[in-house]
Amino acid sequence: MRRYPFERTTTMSNDTFERGKVRIDEKTGVPTTGHEWDGIEELNTPLPRWWVWTFWVTAIWGVLYCFVYPAWPTLSGGTQGLFGWNSRTEVAQEIGELQTTRAPILAKLNAASLSDIEANPELLAAARMVGSVAFVNNCAGCHGAGGQGAKGYANLNDDDWIWGGKLADIQTTIEHGARWDGDKATHSSAMPAFGRDGILTPQQISVVADHVRTYADLPNAPEPTAEGQKLYDENCAACHGADAKGNTELGAPNLVDAIWLYGSDKPAIVNRIVNGGGGVMPAWKDRLDDTTIKALTVYVHSLGGGQ
Amino acid sequence: MSQTTHHAPGGGLQKRIETNSILLVVAILILVSIGGIVEIVPLFYIKNTIEKVDGIRPYSPLELAGYNIYVREGCYTCHSQMIRPLRDEVERYGHYSLAAESMYDHPFQWGSKRNGPDLARVGGKYSNDWQRDHLRSPRSMVPTSIMPGYPFLAETPLNGAHLAEQMRMLRVVGVPYTDAQLENAAADLTAQSAPDDPGAAALRQRYPNVVINDIASKGGVTEEDALVAYLQHLGVSVDFKLYDDKANIR
C-alpha cells in the first residue's frame, strides 16, 4: 500500500494524542505542548517574562481605568469615574488659568486707549505679542504672514490705506470688515460696474483707463487726454477725488501712487472699471474679543504704514 | 486519514467550540457584538449624547451640494472638522466642536488627519473671493501651503439634479427637512447662487444664516460655488455667546 507523506506514521493512538503526550525535549530541556504531527512536536517555550508582566499590567490598567475615568454607558447616562474627570471641565479650567495669567496685562490693554498703548513700551510690547498671534491665526490667510498682502488683498506694511490708516480707522475696519454681509456697520461702498452695467461703453472704458494710468506716471502710460479727463471727472472723481488721491471714507484707492491692489497694467484697470465691486473682508467683532481687536489694531498700525 | 484529526488540547468547552464551526461562528458573533452593544447601542437612548443647542439647521441645497463635493474630493483626508476640547485647539480654532454641530452630516466629516488646518469653524473666516482664489491656487494665498489646487471646480457646472432626492433620503435618516424645503430645493439652489434673486427672502426664511453666494461665472452655478457655500456655513450655526458650557458638561 502506498503511503502519502502527510499520513501519520507514528503509532500513537488518537486517544494518546488528545490527552497530550507532554514530555521534556532532550535537546532544549523545554516541555512540549503535546501537539505532534508527522513526528514534529511543538515546544512549549514560556513567554518572555517582560511580555507576561506587560500583559497583566495592561489588563489591570484597563480594569482600573474603567473605574477612574468615565467609561461605561448606563441606562440614563454613563459612569462618571471616581474623580468626576471630563475633558470639557478640564479644558474650561485650563483656559480659565490661561485667562488668569493673562488678565493683568489684558486688563491694562483694555483700559488704555489705542494711542496710549502705542506710547507705552510695556503695553506696546504686549499688544504686539497678542496682536501678532491673532494676526497669523486670523489675518495672514489674506494679508500674508508678514502683512505683505497679495493681489486683491491689501498690503498692510505700506502707507497706502483703502479704509484709512489711523488707529481708529484700522480698528473699525477689523471690527466690521468690508462689504461683509453679516455686519450692518461694515464698509459698504463699492465701485459701480461701469462696464457690466452699461454705464460706460467699452471704448470709453479704454479711454478712461488710459487716462487713469497717467496719474501715477505708470510705465508706458499714454499722454492725458481731454476726453479721458472729462470721463474721469464725470464718473470717477466723486469717489477717487478730483486730484485722484482717493477717499478712505469710501474705500476709493489713491490712483496717483505706485501701489495698485489689482495691478496697474491696462487690462487690470479695465477689469476693475468693467466689473467694479471691491474686496471683501470679514467682520471680526463677533469672532475676536475687544482686547484682541485692540491688540491687532496696534499690531497692524505698527507694521510700518500706520498714520 | 484515519487518525489525522487535529484536536485542541484541554478538551471541554474550548474543544467543543473549536471543533464545531457553527458553534464557533455563533461564539464569535456574540463576542464581537459586545463591542457594539457597549459602544453604539447607548448612543440611541442616552440623552446626553447630543447637546441641546439652538441654531443648527439642515444644509441648504447649495451647501449640501458643496458637502457632496467635499466628500467626493476627499477633503476629509487632510482636513478635520473636529476641534477637540484641548486648550491649544480652542485657542487656535475657537470653541470645541459639539456633537450637535455635525448631527445632520451623513456621514460626519470629523476626520482624523490634519495635513491642513481644522475646518470646523472656517465659515465666515474668509471672504468668498478668498475661498475661490485659494481653491484655484492655494499657494497664491498661502505660499507655504501643500494643498493641491482645485481649479477645475470653477469650470465644472454643478449637477443639482439629485439634491431633492438626497434631501428626501436624509429626511428618512433623521434630518428634519420640511416639506417646503423639499419642494423648493431647486428654487433655493438658484436663490443662493445669485445675490438679487427674488427667491432670496424665502431662502433666508427656510435656512437662517444662509450666505447668499455671489456667483462669479455667468455660465451658471459651478461646483466651486457650492463648495464655497458649504465652507462658509461650517461652524457658524451656534451662537457661543448664548451657549451654556456648564449645562453640557458631560
Side-chain angles (χ1 to χ4, degrees), chain A residues 198-253:
Chain A
I199 303 168
L200 295 175
T201 65
Q203 191 268 336
Q204 286 173 315
I205 289 173
S206 174
V207 170
V208 79
D210 276 334
H211 186 77
V212 163
R213 296 189 78 244
T214 65
Y215 289 129
D217 202 15
L218 294 168
N220 306 320
E223 290 298 307
T225 57
E227 192 196 358
Q229 186 65 51
K230 182 164 176 287
L231 283 167
Y232 180 88
D233 290 342
E234 285 169 3
N235 296 286
C236 319
C239 296
H240 291 282
D243 56 1
K245 284 188 176 162
N247 183 347
T248 55
E249 292 289 310
L250 299 166

Short mmCIF file of all heavy atoms in Angstrom, two decimals, chain A residues 198-253:
data_model
loop_
_atom_site.label_atom_id
_atom_site.label_comp_id
_atom_site.label_asym_id
_atom_site.label_seq_id
_atom_site.Cartn_x
_atom_site.Cartn_y
_atom_site.Cartn_z
N GLY A 198 -23.30 98.73 -18.07
CA GLY A 198 -23.54 99.58 -19.23
C GLY A 198 -23.47 101.07 -18.96
O GLY A 198 -24.07 101.87 -19.68
N ILE A 199 -22.77 101.48 -17.90
CA ILE A 199 -22.66 102.92 -17.62
C ILE A 199 -21.71 103.57 -18.63
O ILE A 199 -21.95 104.68 -19.08
CB ILE A 199 -22.16 103.14 -16.18
CG1 ILE A 199 -23.11 102.45 -15.19
CG2 ILE A 199 -22.06 104.63 -15.86
CD1 ILE A 199 -22.57 102.35 -13.78
N LEU A 200 -20.66 102.88 -18.95
CA LEU A 200 -19.72 103.37 -19.95
C LEU A 200 -19.61 102.34 -21.08
O LEU A 200 -19.79 101.15 -20.86
CB LEU A 200 -18.33 103.58 -19.33
CG LEU A 200 -18.19 104.64 -18.25
CD1 LEU A 200 -16.79 104.62 -17.67
CD2 LEU A 200 -18.52 106.03 -18.78
N THR A 201 -19.29 102.84 -22.28
CA THR A 201 -19.08 101.92 -23.40
C THR A 201 -17.66 101.36 -23.30
O THR A 201 -16.80 101.97 -22.65
CB THR A 201 -19.23 102.66 -24.74
OG1 THR A 201 -18.17 103.61 -24.83
CG2 THR A 201 -20.57 103.36 -24.83
N PRO A 202 -17.41 100.25 -23.96
CA PRO A 202 -16.05 99.69 -23.95
C PRO A 202 -15.02 100.71 -24.40
O PRO A 202 -13.92 100.79 -23.84
CB PRO A 202 -16.15 98.50 -24.91
CG PRO A 202 -17.56 98.08 -24.84
CD PRO A 202 -18.36 99.34 -24.62
N GLN A 203 -15.38 101.51 -25.41
CA GLN A 203 -14.42 102.50 -25.91
C GLN A 203 -14.13 103.54 -24.84
O GLN A 203 -12.98 103.92 -24.61
CB GLN A 203 -15.01 103.13 -27.20
CG GLN A 203 -14.04 103.98 -27.98
CD GLN A 203 -14.11 105.44 -27.57
OE1 GLN A 203 -15.13 105.90 -27.06
NE2 GLN A 203 -13.01 106.16 -27.78
N GLN A 204 -15.17 103.99 -24.14
CA GLN A 204 -14.98 104.98 -23.07
C GLN A 204 -14.12 104.40 -21.94
O GLN A 204 -13.27 105.08 -21.36
CB GLN A 204 -16.34 105.41 -22.50
CG GLN A 204 -17.13 106.32 -23.44
CD GLN A 204 -18.53 106.58 -22.90
OE1 GLN A 204 -19.20 105.64 -22.46
NE2 GLN A 204 -18.95 107.83 -22.94
N ILE A 205 -14.36 103.13 -21.64
CA ILE A 205 -13.58 102.49 -20.56
C ILE A 205 -12.10 102.45 -20.94
O ILE A 205 -11.23 102.73 -20.12
CB ILE A 205 -14.13 101.07 -20.29
CG1 ILE A 205 -15.48 101.17 -19.61
CG2 ILE A 205 -13.15 100.27 -19.42
CD1 ILE A 205 -16.20 99.86 -19.44
N SER A 206 -11.83 102.16 -22.19
CA SER A 206 -10.45 102.12 -22.64
C SER A 206 -9.81 103.50 -22.48
O SER A 206 -8.68 103.64 -22.00
CB SER A 206 -10.41 101.66 -24.10
OG SER A 206 -9.10 101.75 -24.59
N VAL A 207 -10.56 104.53 -22.86
CA VAL A 207 -10.02 105.90 -22.78
C VAL A 207 -9.75 106.28 -21.33
O VAL A 207 -8.68 106.80 -20.99
CB VAL A 207 -11.01 106.89 -23.43
CG1 VAL A 207 -10.58 108.33 -23.14
CG2 VAL A 207 -11.09 106.66 -24.93
N VAL A 208 -10.71 106.00 -20.46
CA VAL A 208 -10.54 106.44 -19.06
C VAL A 208 -9.47 105.60 -18.37
O VAL A 208 -8.74 106.11 -17.51
CB VAL A 208 -11.90 106.44 -18.32
CG1 VAL A 208 -12.31 105.05 -17.89
CG2 VAL A 208 -11.83 107.37 -17.11
N ALA A 209 -9.33 104.34 -18.78
CA ALA A 209 -8.27 103.51 -18.19
C ALA A 209 -6.90 104.07 -18.57
O ALA A 209 -6.01 104.19 -17.73
CB ALA A 209 -8.40 102.06 -18.67
N ASP A 210 -6.77 104.46 -19.84
CA ASP A 210 -5.52 105.09 -20.27
C ASP A 210 -5.26 106.34 -19.45
O ASP A 210 -4.15 106.61 -19.00
CB ASP A 210 -5.59 105.45 -21.76
CG ASP A 210 -5.24 104.27 -22.65
OD1 ASP A 210 -4.49 103.38 -22.16
OD2 ASP A 210 -5.71 104.21 -23.80
N HIS A 211 -6.33 107.10 -19.28
CA HIS A 211 -6.19 108.37 -18.58
C HIS A 211 -5.77 108.16 -17.13
O HIS A 211 -4.88 108.84 -16.62
CB HIS A 211 -7.51 109.15 -18.65
CG HIS A 211 -7.39 110.53 -18.07
ND1 HIS A 211 -6.79 111.56 -18.75
CD2 HIS A 211 -7.76 111.03 -16.87
CE1 HIS A 211 -6.80 112.64 -18.00
NE2 HIS A 211 -7.38 112.35 -16.85
N VAL A 212 -6.40 107.18 -16.46
CA VAL A 212 -6.07 106.90 -15.06
C VAL A 212 -4.61 106.52 -14.93
O VAL A 212 -3.94 106.89 -13.96
CB VAL A 212 -6.99 105.78 -14.52
CG1 VAL A 212 -6.43 105.17 -13.25
CG2 VAL A 212 -8.39 106.31 -14.28
N ARG A 213 -4.10 105.83 -15.94
CA ARG A 213 -2.71 105.39 -15.85
C ARG A 213 -1.73 106.56 -15.94
O ARG A 213 -0.56 106.41 -15.60
CB ARG A 213 -2.40 104.35 -16.93
CG ARG A 213 -3.21 103.08 -16.75
CD ARG A 213 -2.76 101.95 -17.68
NE ARG A 213 -1.55 101.31 -17.19
CZ ARG A 213 -0.40 101.33 -17.85
NH1 ARG A 213 -0.28 101.97 -19.00
NH2 ARG A 213 0.66 100.73 -17.34
N THR A 214 -2.20 107.70 -16.39
CA THR A 214 -1.29 108.85 -16.47
C THR A 214 -1.03 109.45 -15.08
O THR A 214 0.02 110.04 -14.85
CB THR A 214 -1.86 109.96 -17.37
OG1 THR A 214 -3.04 110.49 -16.75
CG2 THR A 214 -2.19 109.43 -18.74
N TYR A 215 -1.97 109.30 -14.17
CA TYR A 215 -1.83 109.95 -12.86
C TYR A 215 -0.60 109.47 -12.11
O TYR A 215 0.13 110.23 -11.51
CB TYR A 215 -3.06 109.70 -11.99
CG TYR A 215 -4.29 110.42 -12.46
CD1 TYR A 215 -5.49 109.73 -12.65
CD2 TYR A 215 -4.26 111.78 -12.71
CE1 TYR A 215 -6.62 110.38 -13.08
CE2 TYR A 215 -5.40 112.45 -13.15
CZ TYR A 215 -6.57 111.74 -13.33
OH TYR A 215 -7.68 112.38 -13.76
N ALA A 216 -0.42 108.15 -12.11
CA ALA A 216 0.68 107.59 -11.33
C ALA A 216 1.96 107.54 -12.14
O ALA A 216 2.95 107.01 -11.66
CB ALA A 216 0.30 106.21 -10.83
N ASP A 217 1.91 108.06 -13.34
CA ASP A 217 3.09 108.06 -14.19
C ASP A 217 3.59 106.62 -14.38
O ASP A 217 4.76 106.33 -14.19
CB ASP A 217 4.19 108.93 -13.58
CG ASP A 217 5.18 109.36 -14.67
OD1 ASP A 217 4.82 109.21 -15.85
OD2 ASP A 217 6.28 109.79 -14.32
N LEU A 218 2.64 105.73 -14.71
CA LEU A 218 2.99 104.32 -14.85
C LEU A 218 3.78 104.10 -16.13
O LEU A 218 3.69 104.90 -17.05
CB LEU A 218 1.70 103.47 -14.88
CG LEU A 218 0.92 103.49 -13.57
CD1 LEU A 218 -0.46 102.89 -13.77
CD2 LEU A 218 1.67 102.74 -12.49
N PRO A 219 4.54 103.01 -16.19
CA PRO A 219 5.32 102.74 -17.40
C PRO A 219 4.39 102.62 -18.61
O PRO A 219 3.31 102.05 -18.51
CB PRO A 219 5.98 101.39 -17.11
CG PRO A 219 5.83 101.16 -15.65
CD PRO A 219 4.73 102.00 -15.15
N ASN A 220 4.81 103.16 -19.70
CA ASN A 220 4.04 103.12 -20.94
C ASN A 220 2.69 103.80 -20.85
O ASN A 220 1.79 103.50 -21.62
CB ASN A 220 3.83 101.69 -21.44
CG ASN A 220 5.13 100.94 -21.56
OD1 ASN A 220 6.12 101.51 -22.00
ND2 ASN A 220 5.14 99.69 -21.14
N ALA A 221 2.53 104.68 -19.87
CA ALA A 221 1.26 105.40 -19.80
C ALA A 221 1.21 106.41 -20.93
O ALA A 221 2.21 107.06 -21.24
CB ALA A 221 1.14 106.11 -18.46
N PRO A 222 0.03 106.52 -21.57
CA PRO A 222 -0.09 107.50 -22.65
C PRO A 222 -0.19 108.91 -22.06
O PRO A 222 -0.21 109.09 -20.86
CB PRO A 222 -1.37 107.08 -23.34
CG PRO A 222 -2.16 106.39 -22.29
CD PRO A 222 -1.19 105.78 -21.32
N GLU A 223 -0.27 109.87 -22.97
CA GLU A 223 -0.48 111.25 -22.53
C GLU A 223 -1.92 111.42 -22.05
O GLU A 223 -2.82 110.75 -22.55
CB GLU A 223 -0.23 112.21 -23.70
CG GLU A 223 1.23 112.30 -24.12
CD GLU A 223 2.10 112.83 -22.99
OE1 GLU A 223 1.78 113.90 -22.45
OE2 GLU A 223 3.09 112.15 -22.62
N PRO A 224 -2.16 112.30 -21.06
CA PRO A 224 -3.54 112.56 -20.65
C PRO A 224 -4.34 113.13 -21.82
O PRO A 224 -3.78 113.84 -22.66
CB PRO A 224 -3.39 113.61 -19.55
CG PRO A 224 -1.95 113.61 -19.17
CD PRO A 224 -1.18 113.08 -20.32
N THR A 225 -5.61 112.80 -21.85
CA THR A 225 -6.46 113.32 -22.93
C THR A 225 -7.61 114.11 -22.33
O THR A 225 -8.03 113.85 -21.19
CB THR A 225 -7.04 112.18 -23.77
OG1 THR A 225 -7.77 111.31 -22.89
CG2 THR A 225 -5.95 111.39 -24.48
N ALA A 226 -8.13 115.00 -23.11
CA ALA A 226 -9.26 115.81 -22.64
C ALA A 226 -10.49 114.92 -22.46
O ALA A 226 -11.23 115.06 -21.48
CB ALA A 226 -9.56 116.91 -23.66
N GLU A 227 -10.65 113.96 -23.36
CA GLU A 227 -11.82 113.07 -23.25
C GLU A 227 -11.69 112.22 -21.99
O GLU A 227 -12.65 112.02 -21.26
CB GLU A 227 -11.91 112.18 -24.50
CG GLU A 227 -13.24 111.45 -24.60
CD GLU A 227 -13.22 110.30 -25.59
OE1 GLU A 227 -12.17 110.08 -26.25
OE2 GLU A 227 -14.24 109.59 -25.67
N GLY A 228 -10.48 111.73 -21.75
CA GLY A 228 -10.24 110.92 -20.56
C GLY A 228 -10.49 111.74 -19.31
O GLY A 228 -11.13 111.26 -18.36
N GLN A 229 -10.03 112.98 -19.30
CA GLN A 229 -10.24 113.83 -18.13
C GLN A 229 -11.73 114.05 -17.88
O GLN A 229 -12.21 113.99 -16.74
CB GLN A 229 -9.54 115.18 -18.37
CG GLN A 229 -9.57 116.12 -17.17
CD GLN A 229 -8.77 115.55 -15.99
OE1 GLN A 229 -7.62 115.16 -16.14
NE2 GLN A 229 -9.40 115.49 -14.82
N LYS A 230 -12.46 114.26 -18.99
CA LYS A 230 -13.91 114.51 -18.87
C LYS A 230 -14.60 113.26 -18.30
O LYS A 230 -15.40 113.36 -17.35
CB LYS A 230 -14.47 114.85 -20.25
CG LYS A 230 -15.95 115.18 -20.27
CD LYS A 230 -16.32 115.87 -21.59
CE LYS A 230 -17.83 116.12 -21.67
NZ LYS A 230 -18.60 114.88 -21.92
N LEU A 231 -14.25 112.11 -18.84
CA LEU A 231 -14.86 110.87 -18.35
C LEU A 231 -14.50 110.65 -16.88
O LEU A 231 -15.34 110.24 -16.08
CB LEU A 231 -14.38 109.68 -19.18
CG LEU A 231 -15.01 109.53 -20.56
CD1 LEU A 231 -14.24 108.51 -21.39
CD2 LEU A 231 -16.47 109.09 -20.43
N TYR A 232 -13.26 110.94 -16.54
CA TYR A 232 -12.83 110.78 -15.15
C TYR A 232 -13.64 111.69 -14.24
O TYR A 232 -14.17 111.26 -13.21
CB TYR A 232 -11.34 111.06 -15.00
CG TYR A 232 -10.87 110.90 -13.57
CD1 TYR A 232 -10.44 109.65 -13.10
CD2 TYR A 232 -10.91 111.96 -12.67
CE1 TYR A 232 -10.07 109.48 -11.78
CE2 TYR A 232 -10.54 111.81 -11.34
CZ TYR A 232 -10.11 110.56 -10.90
OH TYR A 232 -9.75 110.39 -9.60
N ASP A 233 -13.73 112.95 -14.63
CA ASP A 233 -14.45 113.93 -13.79
C ASP A 233 -15.91 113.52 -13.59
O ASP A 233 -16.47 113.68 -12.51
CB ASP A 233 -14.36 115.32 -14.42
CG ASP A 233 -12.95 115.89 -14.32
OD1 ASP A 233 -12.17 115.37 -13.49
OD2 ASP A 233 -12.62 116.81 -15.09
N GLU A 234 -16.50 113.00 -14.65
CA GLU A 234 -17.93 112.68 -14.56
C GLU A 234 -18.19 111.37 -13.81
O GLU A 234 -19.22 111.22 -13.16
CB GLU A 234 -18.52 112.57 -15.98
CG GLU A 234 -18.73 113.93 -16.64
CD GLU A 234 -19.06 113.80 -18.12
OE1 GLU A 234 -19.18 112.65 -18.60
OE2 GLU A 234 -19.19 114.85 -18.77
N ASN A 235 -17.28 110.41 -13.92
CA ASN A 235 -17.58 109.07 -13.39
C ASN A 235 -16.74 108.67 -12.18
O ASN A 235 -17.20 107.89 -11.35
CB ASN A 235 -17.38 108.02 -14.48
CG ASN A 235 -18.34 108.20 -15.64
OD1 ASN A 235 -19.51 107.91 -15.50
ND2 ASN A 235 -17.84 108.73 -16.75
N CYS A 236 -15.52 109.15 -12.10
CA CYS A 236 -14.59 108.62 -11.09
C CYS A 236 -14.31 109.60 -9.97
O CYS A 236 -14.04 109.20 -8.83
CB CYS A 236 -13.27 108.22 -11.75
SG CYS A 236 -13.47 107.40 -13.34
N ALA A 237 -14.35 110.89 -10.30
CA ALA A 237 -13.86 111.90 -9.36
C ALA A 237 -14.68 111.93 -8.08
O ALA A 237 -14.15 112.27 -7.01
CB ALA A 237 -13.85 113.27 -10.02
N ALA A 238 -15.97 111.57 -8.17
CA ALA A 238 -16.82 111.64 -6.98
C ALA A 238 -16.24 110.81 -5.84
O ALA A 238 -16.33 111.20 -4.68
CB ALA A 238 -18.23 111.17 -7.32
N CYS A 239 -15.67 109.68 -6.15
CA CYS A 239 -15.09 108.83 -5.10
C CYS A 239 -13.57 108.96 -5.03
O CYS A 239 -13.00 109.13 -3.96
CB CYS A 239 -15.45 107.37 -5.33
SG CYS A 239 -17.22 107.03 -5.24
N HIS A 240 -12.93 108.89 -6.16
CA HIS A 240 -11.46 108.88 -6.15
C HIS A 240 -10.88 110.30 -6.03
O HIS A 240 -9.67 110.44 -5.88
CB HIS A 240 -10.91 108.21 -7.41
CG HIS A 240 -11.17 106.73 -7.46
ND1 HIS A 240 -10.42 105.83 -6.74
CD2 HIS A 240 -12.10 106.00 -8.11
CE1 HIS A 240 -10.88 104.59 -6.96
NE2 HIS A 240 -11.90 104.68 -7.79
N GLY A 241 -11.76 111.30 -6.10
CA GLY A 241 -11.32 112.68 -5.91
C GLY A 241 -10.86 113.31 -7.21
O GLY A 241 -10.37 112.63 -8.11
N ALA A 242 -11.06 114.63 -7.29
CA ALA A 242 -10.65 115.36 -8.49
C ALA A 242 -9.15 115.25 -8.68
O ALA A 242 -8.64 115.22 -9.80
CB ALA A 242 -11.07 116.82 -8.38
N ASP A 243 -8.41 115.16 -7.55
CA ASP A 243 -6.96 115.01 -7.65
C ASP A 243 -6.54 113.54 -7.72
O ASP A 243 -5.35 113.24 -7.72
CB ASP A 243 -6.28 115.70 -6.47
CG ASP A 243 -6.79 115.16 -5.13
OD1 ASP A 243 -7.65 114.24 -5.15
OD2 ASP A 243 -6.34 115.64 -4.08
N ALA A 244 -7.53 112.63 -7.74
CA ALA A 244 -7.28 111.18 -7.86
C ALA A 244 -6.51 110.61 -6.67
O ALA A 244 -5.90 109.56 -6.78
CB ALA A 244 -6.58 110.82 -9.17
N LYS A 245 -6.55 111.32 -5.57
CA LYS A 245 -5.81 110.81 -4.41
C LYS A 245 -6.65 109.89 -3.53
O LYS A 245 -6.23 109.50 -2.44
CB LYS A 245 -5.26 111.98 -3.60
CG LYS A 245 -4.05 112.62 -4.28
CD LYS A 245 -3.37 113.63 -3.40
CE LYS A 245 -2.13 114.15 -4.11
NZ LYS A 245 -1.66 115.42 -3.54
N GLY A 246 -7.86 109.58 -4.03
CA GLY A 246 -8.67 108.60 -3.31
C GLY A 246 -9.42 109.19 -2.13
O GLY A 246 -9.31 110.38 -1.82
N ASN A 247 -10.21 108.33 -1.49
CA ASN A 247 -11.03 108.76 -0.36
C ASN A 247 -11.24 107.56 0.55
O ASN A 247 -11.91 106.60 0.19
CB ASN A 247 -12.38 109.28 -0.88
CG ASN A 247 -13.25 109.79 0.24
OD1 ASN A 247 -12.97 109.56 1.42
ND2 ASN A 247 -14.31 110.48 -0.13
N THR A 248 -10.61 107.62 1.72
CA THR A 248 -10.71 106.46 2.61
C THR A 248 -12.09 106.31 3.23
O THR A 248 -12.43 105.25 3.73
CB THR A 248 -9.66 106.56 3.73
OG1 THR A 248 -9.83 107.79 4.42
CG2 THR A 248 -8.26 106.46 3.17
N GLU A 249 -12.91 107.38 3.19
CA GLU A 249 -14.28 107.26 3.68
C GLU A 249 -15.05 106.26 2.82
O GLU A 249 -15.92 105.55 3.31
CB GLU A 249 -15.00 108.61 3.60
CG GLU A 249 -14.47 109.67 4.55
CD GLU A 249 -14.85 109.34 5.99
OE1 GLU A 249 -16.03 109.06 6.22
OE2 GLU A 249 -13.95 109.33 6.85
N LEU A 250 -14.74 106.26 1.53
CA LEU A 250 -15.49 105.43 0.59
C LEU A 250 -14.68 104.22 0.14
O LEU A 250 -15.13 103.45 -0.69
CB LEU A 250 -15.88 106.26 -0.64
CG LEU A 250 -16.76 107.48 -0.34
CD1 LEU A 250 -16.81 108.41 -1.52
CD2 LEU A 250 -18.16 107.02 0.04
N GLY A 251 -13.50 104.06 0.69
CA GLY A 251 -12.67 102.94 0.26
C GLY A 251 -12.21 103.08 -1.17
O GLY A 251 -11.99 102.08 -1.86
N ALA A 252 -12.12 104.32 -1.65
CA ALA A 252 -11.68 104.56 -3.03
C ALA A 252 -10.17 104.73 -3.02
O ALA A 252 -9.67 105.69 -2.44
CB ALA A 252 -12.37 105.79 -3.59
N PRO A 253 -9.42 103.83 -3.64
CA PRO A 253 -7.96 103.90 -3.54
C PRO A 253 -7.38 105.13 -4.22
O PRO A 253 -7.96 105.69 -5.16
CB PRO A 253 -7.49 102.62 -4.24
CG PRO A 253 -8.68 101.75 -4.31
CD PRO A 253 -9.87 102.64 -4.35
#
